[in-house]
Amino acid sequence: MGVALARAAQWTAAGSGTGTLEITPLNESLLNQIIKFVEDFSARHPREAAFVFREPLEWKTRLGCSVFEEGYEINEATVQSEAKGKDGQPLLLLTASTLRVRSFDQLSCLLQIAMEEKLKEAQACLEANRDPIVKILGPEYGTVEGEDMFMLNLLDKVKKDDDPETEMKMKIFLLLHQLDLQLLNNSLKHISQDVRLNPAAINNEVNLLKNFSGKGEDTVLESLEYTSDYTFSNGCRAPPWRQVHGEICYLVIKPHDTDPLYVTCSTAGVFLNGGELKGKDDIDYERKSDVYKDIVTFLRERSPRFVESMSKQEYIFFKEPTYEKNYQHMEVVDPKVSGQSQNLYDFTEKNVCEKAKSSATRRRSIDKKKLEPSMKWKNTGLSASHSDKAAKKGTEEEGRSSTVSLQIKKKASGMSSESVKIQPASKCKTSGRFEDISESSSETEEDEEQPVRHQEGNTDLPSEYWGIQKLAKYLKGGNPTATVIALCSMKDFNLAQETCQLAIRDTGCLEVLINLLDTEEIKCQIGSLKILKEISQNTLIRHAIAYLGGLQIMVKILDSPDKVLKCLAAETIANVARFKEARRTVRQHGGIKRLVGLLECVSVGSISLTPYQAKDTEIARCGALALWSCSKSIKNKEAIRKAGGIPLLARWLKCSRANILTPVVGTLQECASEPSYRLAIRTEGMIENLVKNLSSDHEELQMHCASAIFKCAEDKETRDLVRQHGGLQPLSVLLGNSENKQLLAAVTGAIWKCAISGENVSKFREYKAIEALVGLLTDQPEEVLVNIVGALGECCQEPINRTIIRKCGGIPPLVKLLTRTDQALLVNVTKAVGACAREPENMMIIDRLDGVRLLWSLLKNPNPDVQASAAWAICPCIENAKDAGEMVRSFVGGLELIVNLLKSKNKEVLASVCAAITNIAKDEENLAVITDHGVIPLLSKLANTNNDKLRRHLAEAISHCCMWGSNRVTFGETKAVAPLVRYLKSNDPSVHRATAQALYQLSEDPNNCITMHENGVVKLLLAMVGSTDETLQEAAAGCIANIRRLALATEKAKYG
């Protein structure tokens, strides 16, 4: 084992240093073989398993004290085995998180206890004990490189000395040596098939896929981005502490038909990671899928649409080389894709002026070439892809971005027109992608970029562009009066027009406008902010303002006594703070506290306002707008709460003016994702005002109110308050507005969550909401369908509503939705179909529409939530089908599929599959088939669980599976009986009932009776014989009777 670990295993550090095992397929294979060897060691070599190690194997464990049960003594945070060595020391000792094991017997038991964590434990053990043979047998048995004469010397010693301990060590050493050879052979096979990736190969594949990505129907992907644009000298984009694990870079891939995929590219292959960690600028690096040889193979497994689109696009890879050549030519000319370290477009104004004519000619010729290719190339996104390379950048450290801002600001007066441009372009896409934002800010930013790139390649600029360029010199070099006049003249342009926005950026006016904010001239500050407020609607301008240090100055302006200045600063912050770095800057420079302070106003609730009060109200409105933008960040939500924002927002919620209510409710609905806010919204009496504003004439306000209720109604108290304040009726009425999809998504979401309470469902039935929901099941976006089906699933818990859905024709569209691919939709629709199947009439329709087959096919879905929901839905289908046994047998491979799901690591999947097996096993033929597929050992393996839901359904499955052949005996042989006895100590009565029934069936076998008696079942069952539950009474009494009969028969046979 030492040789295999030293030579074959892939470590993050060379030699025998303190490295860790890389998570690669090869290492995983080696670990699984070692685990199997240790697990079987006690059974195969009982004498050797009892051998006490020379030194204990010691490592940091993830296991807690609670997992150790029989055979161990637990004292607070310390666990020790009852088995002890000759020196009286326990063979297993757990102190805090340090575990020490001194025999193979204890190692084998530990791996069985660890269950799902056994791979992690084995990895931790081997990392902490790089040459375990030394600790097991002693230093003389250590792994030696080169010629090793130790084996011959040992043989001589065994021949001369008749020492049993030396002989035992020899046997163990030979067994470990045999394992070593096996591991090395398997690793050679693995390595021979392994093709390790490198940064260049990944970069080529990413660039190729980018060429065929975009919004068009003919594209293979919607987008594909690196999470970081910084490339190390070795070509990797992963941080150094991840490169030691073999990781090269991380991608965010957005297929057309699935949620965004967060992917790790490593030397071992491509796999799914855990995505971005909420509230942190980092990702969950843990592998969540199998490892694939490249990105295309990974996507073929994940996206059916990708496979379909790739088959259509294949001819483009080969048939139009002339356009590929033009594209390569543009890469050479365009500095954005050069590998140099200088800033992109970092030319001086002098150079730009000298070469204006020649570069314009060259650009025109390039643009002409770029526009020549056919529409096929345009649809695949190839013509714009070279700009994308510079326009996508991952999130950076705050210190780095602020340093760039300072550098830019210092040379603002002499900066080239192009040099500002690159900074905002570098982050515009990724910033929106990783942030949890409302509306779809990331999509908005991506859409805005397209005309910006088009404009840059256009030499025929309109007159407004040149007009602003003329004003630039007055703005830069004039006195205060000239500056004010220049600002007024600039304000007269149509600043909402993209040409004017880009002219301000390209002529270097943006830096000047930001510098003017740092003056003491109020008029200059006001004029500058009025322009910045308008042009900050543009994505690139927003980023440029943030990177040039504009936000820090605007935050300071919030302390100004001038009310107009405060309003303009807050509104501009609201526009700029639409991406992560900007929101972070506002928080870190004390902006949140200042913005919350703007909400303090005495005019709240006043019907008629004095001019002074009107100004205060306007300040509060602007402050609420800025807080709304900032609240899309988790840390900012907490900062708003700590700054006392909740009571102030609650006060403004009572006013009647929609222009301030909209940002106030928008902020609240953003923050309602946090439990602390949901509690505050309930306790501060805000639910009543949210319900009241559902009847507003403003659809945007209605949408945000419904969205806030959607998030808050996770809590039962809030659901009750919505009903008590009459909120269910306006929600039902708003279902009639099916044109506004955003409003409909929020309303259906609120109805879904409110319907979790049975009292609310009765009200919805009274308001005809169920019929309205059924009517909306067709021609709706998936985000709306998820909520509609979720609401119907909750309503279906009542029999009368299941009948209503059937009479309204709701079952066919529900069954049709089972063919969709959206994971959240599938979870909800399977729940709804399963609930409907409880009625025999509904079940007939579902069966006729082949709904059960569709449900069964969803068991193949890779998402555990979908698997579990589908399995739960199958249960009532089997219960209420006319010929359930024949129906189940008609699904080719269906029984084998559901049995194999017992190998899942997800507790909900296991519980649901056990429930399905309980129903399947009611048919004798089906029980025989699943027995042949190995259901008994798989059920037995699950017996050591502490999850009461799984315990209950597992016990029921075992009870029903006992009805065939020698299954009772097999359960005993596979050690399922003893763990079942422990289930009787649970606090859940349903677990007691199911367990007692299972034990009663198992007690028909004499050996099982002995096992039960040894584990103290009689005492536990005696207490349950007096239960008020008749089923539990009978099962407990029956089990005790069987045990007693066996005892009497044994006595009779013994004494005659």
Side-chain angles (χ1 to χ4, degrees):
M1 187 159 64
V3 177
L5 288 175
R7 294 182 184 172
Q10 295 165 340
W11 295 85
T12 60
S16 58
T18 57
T20 58
L21 285 166
E22 289 182 36
I23 303 304
T24 63
L26 172 58
N27 282 353
E28 203 163 313
S29 173
L30 292 175
L31 285 171
N32 283 324
Q33 289 176 71
I34 293 169
I35 288 168
K36 189 174 187 308
F37 172 85
V38 174
E39 280 183 328
D40 297 341
F41 198 94
S42 294
R44 291 184 177 183
H45 314 287
R47 285 184 64 243
E48 287 76 11
F51 175 79
V52 179
F53 298 164
R54 178 79 166 267
E55 291 178 41
L57 295 177
E58 181 175 330
W59 70 94
K60 294 288 182 182
T61 181
R62 296 186 178 192
L63 301 177
C65 298
S66 58
V67 299
F68 296 88
E69 295 182 356
E70 288 187 18
Y72 298 92
E73 298 169 5
I74 302 172
N75 182 16
E76 296 181 353
T78 304
V79 177
Q80 62 180 26
S81 61
E82 292 176 355
K84 292 182 171 58
K86 292 179 181 178
D87 57 358
Q89 295 298 316
L91 297 180
L92 181 145
L93 178 64
L94 171 62
T95 310
S97 62
T98 302
L99 187 62
R100 296 178 182 84
V101 182
R102 300 175 63 206
S103 74
F104 279 108
D105 206 3
Q106 289 299 322
L107 275 177
S108 179
C109 293
L110 179 71
L111 289 174
Q112 290 174 12
I113 290 168
M115 297 179 72
E116 296 95 346
E117 293 294 323
K118 63 174 69 172
L119 196 69
K120 298 279 187 189
E121 289 301 309
Q123 181 183 352
C125 176
L126 294 174
E127 284 173 355
N129 305 277
R130 290 289 286 266
D131 196 351
I133 296 174
V134 171
K135 291 199 172 182
I136 294 170
L137 301 175
E140 63 271 26
Y141 292 81
T143 303
V144 179
E145 290 291 331
E147 186 178 358
D148 186 6
M149 304 298 292
F150 172 72
M151 183 72 74
L152 296 174
N153 296 334
L154 190 65
L155 282 169
D156 290 338
K157 188 176 180 183
V158 170
K159 286 178 182 177
K160 291 176 184 176
D161 304 339
D162 194 16
D163 182 13
E165 186 177 346
T166 307
E167 189 178 345
M168 177 74 73
K169 285 185 177 181
M170 179 67 179
K171 287 181 180 178
I172 293 172
F173 184 83
L174 290 172
L175 289 170
L176 293 175
H177 184 67
Q178 189 178 354
L179 172 64
D180 238 343
L181 293 174
Q182 184 184 336
L183 293 175
L184 288 169
N185 285 334
N186 286 341
S187 65
L188 282 173
K189 289 179 188 175
H190 215 284
I191 290 166
S192 65
Q193 299 168 358
D194 191 20
V195 179
R196 292 178 76 79
L197 295 178
N198 58 59
I202 289 169
N203 196 44
N204 290 339
E205 192 174 11
V206 168
N207 288 339
L208 187 63
L209 287 171
K210 277 186 180 181
N211 295 344
F212 299 91
S213 300
K215 295 285 186 182
E217 291 183 359
D218 296 331
T219 56
V220 296
L221 295 169
E222 194 170 316
S223 63
L224 180 146
E225 314 289 347
Y226 287 111
T227 60
S228 171
D229 219 29
Y230 183 81
T231 307
F232 291 89
S233 57
N234 60 1
C236 295
R237 295 170 189 260
W241 60 91
R242 298 304 304 175
Q243 288 183 33
V244 297
H245 294 278
E247 291 173 5
I248 297 169
C249 65
Y250 311 99
L251 301 171
V252 184
I253 303 174
K254 179 70 176 74
H256 289 289
D257 55 345
T258 68
D259 293 331
L261 303 170
Y262 298 89
V263 176
T264 298
C265 298
S266 71
T267 53
V270 177
F271 56 87
L272 202 64
N273 61 48
E276 191 197 28
L277 295 169
K278 288 187 177 179
K280 296 182 180 178
D281 293 334
D282 206 353
I283 62 172
D284 178 0
Y285 297 106
E286 189 168 344
R287 178 158 64 88
K288 304 292 184 183
S289 73
D290 293 334
V291 180
Y292 299 86
K293 66 177 183 178
D294 55 33
I295 301 169
V296 171
T297 308
F298 168 82
L299 288 169
R300 284 183 184 279
E301 290 292 320
R302 294 277 163 178
S303 170
R305 171 78 181 274
F306 175 84
V307 177
E308 182 186 339
S309 301
M310 279 292 285
S311 63
K312 293 177 184 176
Q313 296 288 356
E314 277 174 359
Y315 72 97
I316 293 177
F317 283 83
F318 308 103
K319 291 193 178 179
E320 299 193 45
T322 54
Y323 301 140
E324 181 75 7
K325 188 174 179 181
N326 287 339
Y327 173 66
Q328 293 295 337
H329 175 64
M330 285 187 283
E331 280 197 322
V332 174
V333 173
D334 193 341
K336 278 187 259 187
V337 288
S338 73
Q340 298 173 15
S341 61
Q342 65 181 23
N343 284 338
L344 288 78
Y345 288 117
D346 193 9
F347 306 123
T348 62
E349 276 195 41
K350 182 180 177 182
N351 288 341
V352 172
C353 293
E354 287 175 356
K355 299 182 181 179
K357 188 173 180 179
S358 62
S359 64
T361 306
R362 185 161 63 251
R363 184 182 292 178
R364 192 179 291 113
S365 67
I366 291 167
D367 286 342
K368 185 177 178 182
K369 287 182 182 179
K370 187 170 71 177
L371 296 172
E372 278 177 357
S374 66
M375 291 301 289
K376 292 173 188 172
W377 284 109
K378 184 178 178 183
N379 290 340
T380 58
L382 182 57
S383 60
S385 62
H386 69 291
S387 299
D388 288 346
K389 293 182 182 180
K392 299 163 187 170
K393 193 172 176 95
T395 54
E396 300 175 349
E397 294 80 20
E398 186 64 21
R400 183 180 169 191
S401 65
S402 62
T403 305
V404 173
S405 301
L406 290 171
Q407 289 172 348
I408 291 173
K409 186 156 186 184
K410 283 176 185 175
K411 51 180 190 176
S413 60
M415 181 169 278
S416 71
S417 61
E418 301 278 357
S419 59
V420 183
K421 171 166 59 188
I422 187 56
Q423 292 298 345
S426 64
K427 290 198 179 185
C428 55
K429 277 201 178 182
T430 312
S431 60
R433 188 176 305 283
F434 288 105
E435 195 70 18
D436 179 20
I437 53 179
S438 67
E439 299 285 308
S440 69
S441 144
S442 62
E443 289 177 15
T444 306
E445 290 180 9
E446 286 181 20
D447 292 343
E448 286 173 351
E449 286 174 33
Q450 300 300 326
V452 171
R453 288 196 293 266
H454 175 71
Q455 185 67 39
E456 285 171 7
N458 187 3
T459 54
D460 300 325
L461 296 169
S463 59
E464 290 89 346
Y465 189 96
W466 306 116
I468 288 175
Q469 192 175 56
K470 288 176 185 176
L471 280 173
K473 63 180 179 180
Y474 296 107
L475 195 62
K476 290 178 181 179
N479 56 34
T481 306
T483 302
V484 171
I485 293 169
L487 289 170
C488 292
S489 300
M490 195 174 284
K491 184 73 175 71
D492 289 338
F493 284 93
N494 181 9
L495 296 178
Q497 188 180 341
E498 189 179 47
T499 305
C500 297
Q501 294 169 352
L502 297 177
I504 291 171
R505 182 197 68 178
D506 295 347
T507 55
C509 290
L510 194 57
E511 303 94 315
V512 180
L513 289 171
I514 290 170
N515 282 337
L516 287 174
L517 297 180
D518 216 2
T519 66
E520 296 179 0
E521 291 288 335
I522 298 291
K523 290 180 181 178
C524 289
Q525 288 178 308
I526 289 173
S528 177
L529 279 172
K530 282 184 176 180
I531 294 169
L532 288 171
K533 184 187 82 170
E534 296 296 330
I535 66 174
S536 58
Q537 301 290 343
N538 182 293
T539 307
L540 300 182
I541 301 285
R542 282 202 290 272
H543 285 74
I545 290 171
Y547 293 142
L548 291 170
L551 277 171
Q552 291 92 318
I553 303 171
M554 283 184 251
V555 167
K556 289 180 185 176
I557 291 173
L558 294 175
D559 291 329
S560 170
D562 190 288
K563 294 184 178 181
V564 175
L565 205 53
K566 284 201 283 192
C567 284
L568 289 169
E571 277 192 280
T572 312
I573 289 171
N575 289 339
V576 177
R578 293 184 190 175
F579 65 102
K580 186 187 293 185
E581 285 79 7
R583 291 193 283 272
R584 183 168 55 198
T585 301
V586 173
R587 182 182 73 251
Q588 290 180 342
H589 289 84
I592 300 296
K593 192 171 183 180
R594 290 178 172 95
L595 289 170
V596 169
L598 298 184
L599 297 179
E600 294 179 1
C601 179
V602 293
S603 62
V604 179
S606 305
I607 298 171
S608 58
L609 299 175
T610 64
Y612 180 83
Q613 288 176 327
K615 282 185 180 179
D616 276 357
T617 303
E618 179 62 12
I619 290 173
R621 184 189 72 81
C622 297
L625 278 171
L627 287 173
W628 188 6
S629 291
C630 292
S631 64
K632 295 173 177 70
S633 161
I634 294 173
K635 288 183 179 178
N636 284 355
K637 291 172 188 175
E638 181 63 17
I640 293 170
R641 187 184 66 78
K642 287 181 177 177
I646 295 176
L648 293 171
L649 289 168
R651 282 174 61 196
W652 280 110
L653 196 58
K654 295 173 184 175
C655 83
S656 55
R657 289 178 289 282
N659 67 335
I660 188 168
L661 276 173
T662 301
V664 166
V665 177
T667 305
L668 285 171
Q669 69 90 12
E670 282 289 347
C671 294
S673 58
E674 299 298 309
S676 58
Y677 273 89
R678 292 201 294 270
L679 176 64
I681 288 171
R682 185 172 75 243
T683 54
E684 293 277 350
M686 289 187 248
I687 296 297
E688 182 179 0
N689 293 297
L690 290 173
V691 166
K692 176 185 170 185
N693 288 311
L694 285 173
S695 304
S696 168
D697 295 331
H698 297 79
E699 288 189 356
E700 188 182 5
L701 178 56
Q702 290 176 320
M703 178 188 73
H704 292 309
C705 288
S707 183
I709 291 171
F710 177 18
K711 292 176 181 177
C712 292
E714 295 279 354
D715 309 315
K716 185 182 184 304
E717 296 87 345
T718 302
R719 296 196 291 271
D720 294 339
L721 285 172
V722 173
R723 182 182 70 255
Q724 290 161 14
H725 292 301
L728 303 182
Q729 187 169 13
L731 284 173
S732 303
V733 171
L734 286 172
L735 287 173
N737 188 350
S738 58
E739 297 301 317
N740 187 334
K741 301 303 180 186
Q742 287 183 325
L743 173 60
L744 190 61
V747 168
T748 50
I751 289 174
W752 171 20
K753 295 304 178 184
C754 288
I756 296 172
S757 294
E759 302 92 332
N760 292 350
V761 173
S762 302
K763 286 289 183 182
F764 283 133
R765 184 169 61 248
E766 183 184 326
Y767 300 138
K768 306 291 182 185
I770 298 171
E771 293 88 335
L773 288 168
V774 171
L776 293 169
L777 277 173
T778 52
D779 301 323
Q780 298 296 340
E782 285 190 338
E783 61 176 335
V784 176
L785 285 172
V786 168
N787 297 341
I788 292 171
V789 176
L792 289 173
E794 296 299 337
C795 293
C796 282
Q797 303 307 313
E798 295 184 7
I800 187 170
N801 295 335
R802 297 198 282 267
T803 305
I804 292 171
I805 290 171
R806 184 182 74 249
K807 289 180 178 177
C808 291
I811 293 178
L814 281 174
V815 172
K816 190 177 179 182
L817 289 175
L818 289 171
T819 59
R820 295 292 190 96
T821 57
D822 184 86
Q823 308 295 302
L825 177 58
L826 288 174
V827 169
N828 284 356
V829 77
T830 46
K831 181 179 179 180
V833 170
C836 288
R838 295 178 194 171
E839 300 294 320
E841 296 91 341
N842 293 356
M843 184 54 217
M844 288 173 63
I845 300 171
I846 293 169
D847 194 17
R848 189 173 68 247
L849 295 170
D850 216 14
V852 185
R853 187 182 299 276
L854 290 172
L855 284 171
W856 216 286
S857 68
L858 288 175
L859 295 174
K860 299 177 185 176
N861 192 290
N863 188 320
D865 295 333
V866 176
Q867 292 175 345
S869 190
W872 287 123
I874 286 168
C875 296
C877 291
I878 297 172
E879 286 176 13
N880 294 295
K882 276 192 174 179
D883 189 358
E886 184 58 38
M887 177 188 74
V888 170
R889 283 192 296 279
S890 70
F891 303 141
V892 177
L895 291 171
E896 184 178 5
L897 171 63
I898 205 159
V899 169
N900 284 334
L901 279 177
L902 289 172
K903 299 172 184 175
S904 171
K905 294 182 179 180
N906 184 287
K907 293 287 194 291
E908 189 69 19
V909 172
L910 293 172
S912 60
V913 170
C914 286
I917 287 172
T918 300
N919 287 285
I920 291 167
K922 291 176 182 176
D923 180 272
E924 196 173 64
E925 286 185 48
N926 289 339
L927 177 54
V929 173
I930 62 174
T931 300
D932 290 342
H933 285 310
V935 74
I936 307 303
L938 289 172
L939 289 173
S940 299
K941 276 187 179 179
L942 301 176
N944 285 301
T945 178
N946 297 321
N947 185 295
D948 277 347
K949 189 174 186 180
L950 176 55
R951 281 177 164 183
R952 173 194 165 188
H953 294 289
L954 175 60
E956 288 176 353
I958 290 173
S959 173
H960 283 81
C961 287
C962 283
M963 305 296 186
W964 176 257
S966 60
N967 284 356
R968 291 186 181 90
V969 177
T970 310
F971 276 123
E973 291 171 351
T974 51
K975 296 182 171 50
V977 179
L980 278 176
V981 174
R982 294 197 291 272
Y983 291 9
L984 296 175
K985 298 176 183 177
S986 167
N987 296 322
D988 188 345
S990 62
V991 174
H992 295 165
R993 186 192 312 120
T995 305
Q997 289 176 307
L999 291 172
Y1000 171 57
Q1001 292 297 332
L1002 291 166
S1003 66
E1004 299 289 336
D1005 176 63
N1007 289 327
N1008 291 345
C1009 287
I1010 294 167
T1011 305
M1012 291 179 203
H1013 190 271
E1014 287 174 349
N1015 284 274
V1017 76
V1018 175
K1019 185 178 179 180
L1020 295 168
L1021 288 175
L1022 281 172
M1024 294 176 186
V1025 170
S1027 169
T1028 54
D1029 184 334
E1030 290 184 8
T1031 307
L1032 175 57
Q1033 269 186 358
E1034 290 178 10
C1039 184
I1040 292 170
N1042 286 338
I1043 293 170
R1044 183 62 186 150
R1045 283 192 201 99
L1046 177 65
L1048 290 171
T1050 304
E1051 284 183 20
K1052 188 174 181 181
K1054 191 173 182 179
Y1055 301 109

